[in-house]
Amino acid sequence: MSAPVHSLFITLKRSFAGTREHHVRILQSLGLRYRQQTVEQPNVAHIRGAIDKVRHMLTVETDVQRAARLAAEAAAQAPRPPVHVRH
């Protein structure tokens, strides 16, 4: 059984240009103002409903998924041991 999800990390992937005014207001209510911005919101029903209305513009991660992704990115950026070539 997995751990309960306490928060959602929401990233705006598309800009407001050409977006319906209703969708813009929903995105602003989620705390999103510009593209590639990420906000943390609680995992409650009304937040999930707002996300569902504009899901084509967002990327949503749980706190567990985000921690795993950041750890994987940090491991990929870690310096590798030097390669010793013997001739």
Side-chain angles (χ1 to χ4, degrees):
M1 186 176 209
S2 62
V5 176
H6 297 291
S7 60
L8 300 172
F9 290 88
I10 307 162
T11 304
L12 181 62
K13 289 297 183 182
R14 300 183 65 174
S15 70
F16 290 156
T19 304
R20 295 179 181 180
E21 183 62 32
H22 182 67
H23 289 178
V24 171
R25 288 196 305 264
I26 291 171
L27 293 168
Q28 289 173 344
S29 72
L30 289 172
L32 296 165
R33 301 286 182 255
Y34 50 88
R35 204 172 63 126
Q36 300 300 326
Q37 179 184 9
T38 301
V39 294
E40 181 178 3
Q41 293 287 349
N43 185 19
V44 292
H46 65 89
I47 297 293
R48 290 192 309 269
I51 290 169
D52 192 50
K53 288 180 185 277
V54 291
R55 66 183 175 271
H56 61 282
M57 300 180 72
L58 303 174
T59 298
V60 181
E61 295 177 307
T62 64
D63 45 3
V64 176
Q65 289 172 335
R66 181 176 170 90
R69 181 180 58 84
L70 292 177
E73 287 177 2
Q77 293 293 327
R80 296 183 181 142
V83 176
H84 298 287
V85 179
R86 295 180 191 212
H87 292 284

